[in-house]
Amino acid sequence: MPVGILAAGLAAWASLRLLPPAGPARLRLPALAGLVLRFPVQSLAAGIDVARRALAPTLALRPGILAHPWALPPGPARAAFATLSSLLPGSVPAGSDDGATLAVHCLDTGQPVLARLATEEARFARALGHG
């Protein structure tokens, strides 16, 4: 674990030195800490949800693709959020063809997937200083 943390820190430092962030966005540490603390909770919830669905095949599923409208500006923040959004239970990002929406594959389109994505995207944007 210490080697991994050191490697991640050095990689982040090298990335910021080689390609400094553009624009007025600045990290907001309290909001970023909130995201980091939510990571294990979201990951655990996603794992439990998928396990529950696998072990109880009688659950009515309505799989499908939903379109989440982007609130983040185009750029690396969108890619980072798409990666983060894969932690939400029952959904996985599936691309963005039109540039205005994120296609999300869902196990159950009856769940509030788009509302959860909008909430998480707003938190992510605050952590990055985008609003």
Side-chain angles (χ1 to χ4, degrees):
M1 184 76 118
V3 173
I5 291 171
L6 178 63
L10 289 173
W13 175 81
S15 173
L16 291 172
R17 292 285 293 171
L18 295 172
L19 186 60
R26 295 282 179 227
L27 288 179
R28 295 193 174 125
L29 294 181
L32 184 60
L35 280 176
V36 170
L37 293 174
R38 286 177 58 79
F39 177 83
V41 174
Q42 291 284 19
S43 184
L44 182 64
I48 289 171
D49 183 61
V50 171
R52 182 179 58 89
R53 291 173 190 276
L55 295 173
T58 57
L59 287 174
L61 297 180
R62 292 172 290 208
I65 304 275
L66 298 175
H68 168 68
W70 285 114
L72 287 165
R78 281 188 180 181
F81 176 71
T83 301
L84 179 70
S85 69
S86 67
L87 298 175
L88 294 176
S91 64
V92 66
S96 179
D97 289 337
D98 63 3
T101 59
L102 173 65
V104 181
H105 180 271
C106 305
L107 291 177
D108 189 353
T109 56
Q111 297 294 315
V113 175
L114 294 178
R116 284 193 306 237
L117 279 172
T119 299
E120 292 301 320
E121 187 178 19
R123 287 181 177 170
F124 186 76
R126 276 193 305 276
L128 294 182
H130 286 289

